[in-house]
């Protein structure tokens, strides 16, 4: 058992972290497609662990968006976000995609490990969910 936080089950799906940065001069696209974007997010809310706009520290102007998507694989994650009107209209100038292991935090309700020894073998290698028996 973890010492300082409850141990919680790992998520049943893989998680993909997508950071999308607005292309220069796309304020009009953001405004024009806002309603459709919000509707799309609502329709797919169960697949987003969290998502929302990002700003540079201390700035009011939006600079992009952040998405944590739960999906069976990268193709499913890509299908989820690529249907979003903000992705379709070319709002984002750059999009960074990475796989993410949801491991700890308040929103998770604890940590996914019981001890350091339980995760040591794959802390820098394989995804922990690949090694669950």
């Amino acid at each position: 058992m973890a010492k300082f936080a409850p141990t919680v089950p790992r998520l049943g799906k893989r998680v993909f972290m997508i950071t999308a940065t607005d292309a220069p001069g796309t304020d009009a696209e953001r405004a024009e497609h806002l309603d459709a974007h919000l509707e799309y997010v609502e329709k797919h809310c169960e697949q987003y662990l969290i998502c929302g706009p990002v700003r540079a520290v201390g700035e009011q102007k939006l600079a992009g968006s952040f998405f944590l998507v739960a999906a069976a694989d990268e193709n499913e994650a890509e299908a989820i976000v690529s249907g979003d009107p903000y992705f379709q209209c070319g709002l984002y100038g750059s999009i960074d995609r990475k796989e993410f292991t949801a491991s700890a935090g308040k929103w998770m309700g604890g940590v996914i490990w019981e001890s350091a020894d339980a995760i040591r073998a794959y802390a820098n290698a394989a995804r922990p969910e690949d090694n669950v028996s």
Side-chain angles (χ1 to χ4, degrees):
M1 195 71 179
K3 292 181 191 177
F4 304 107
T7 301
V8 296
R10 289 179 174 92
L11 297 176
K13 290 188 173 187
R14 291 165 62 185
V15 178
F16 298 88
M17 178 177 70
I18 300 158
T19 305
T21 303
D22 290 3
T26 54
D27 293 346
E29 286 83 355
R30 182 176 279 284
E32 178 183 345
H33 297 282
L34 175 63
D35 292 345
H37 163 71
L38 295 177
E39 183 177 308
Y40 186 87
V41 169
E42 287 180 28
K43 286 180 179 177
H44 297 86
C45 193
E46 290 298 314
Q47 294 161 303
Y48 293 116
L49 297 178
I50 191 81
C51 64
V54 297
R55 298 171 175 83
V57 175
E59 299 289 325
Q60 284 298 321
K61 185 179 183 319
L62 297 179
S65 303
F66 175 79
F67 305 85
L68 278 182
V69 179
D73 57 36
E74 53 269 44
N75 292 330
E76 181 183 356
E78 184 62 28
I80 293 164
V81 297
S82 68
D84 186 313
Y86 276 178
F87 283 82
Q88 292 182 342
C89 78
L91 172 68
Y92 302 123
S94 66
I95 301 168
D96 184 45
R97 297 166 177 88
K98 293 197 171 36
E99 191 159 352
F100 175 81
T101 300
S103 299
K106 181 177 181 174
W107 288 342
M108 289 186 62
V111 300
I112 63 169
W113 60 86
E114 292 193 15
S115 70
D117 288 338
I119 63 167
R120 192 174 315 281
Y122 43 82
N124 291 314
R127 295 186 318 265
E129 48 272 20
D130 289 342
N131 295 299
V132 174
S133 36

